[in-house]
Amino acid sequence: MGFLSEVGVAAFDLRSASLHLSQYIETSSSYQNTKTLLHFYDPMAIIVTPNKLAPDGMVGVSELVDRFYATVKKVVMGRGCFDDTKVMLDTYSPPIF
């Protein structure tokens, strides 16, 4: 079988105060679908896991960001922060007074 990698993207649109969630199987080792989404969202910051390589040794999303979005702020957070059974915002958001 070819290259398959599960990717999740969460885009916070500050102009419309909306959240766009995507989770999909990336079928291209060049992460073309992910590059297309990032180009569409034109992010100010990208949060990624510290892994530069995918488990199969192919380029991972963090490396993609380094290569194609070097001018965008990259924030590295541990893999445990991306557990889709928990809400990351509850843990990492500053308190609202």
Side-chain angles (χ1 to χ4, degrees):
M1 188 162 220
F3 175 87
L4 297 175
S5 178
E6 185 177 12
V7 176
V9 174
F12 300 99
D13 187 339
L14 300 177
R15 294 171 297 234
S16 64
S18 60
L19 172 65
H20 307 274
L21 298 173
S22 301
Q23 188 169 8
Y24 53 92
I25 300 297
E26 182 66 77
T27 57
S28 166
S29 62
S30 67
Y31 284 83
Q32 188 57 49
N33 294 329
T34 304
K35 282 194 285 190
T36 300
L37 269 179
L38 289 174
H39 179 75
F40 174 77
Y41 288 124
D42 190 23
M44 294 173 24
I46 301 174
I47 302 171
V48 297
T49 61
N51 310 35
K52 291 244 182 217
L53 299 178
D56 60 2
M58 298 301 292
V59 170
V61 174
S62 183
E63 182 67 21
L64 170 90
V65 171
D66 289 345
R67 287 184 188 177
F68 296 99
Y69 297 91
T71 61
V72 175
K73 179 178 180 178
K74 181 172 100 170
V75 178
V76 178
M77 296 180 80
R79 181 69 185 103
C81 298
F82 296 90
D83 182 347
D84 58 3
T85 64
K86 298 177 185 175
V87 178
M88 187 176 93
L89 293 176
D90 286 346
T91 305
Y92 296 99
S93 292
I96 299 173
F97 298 100

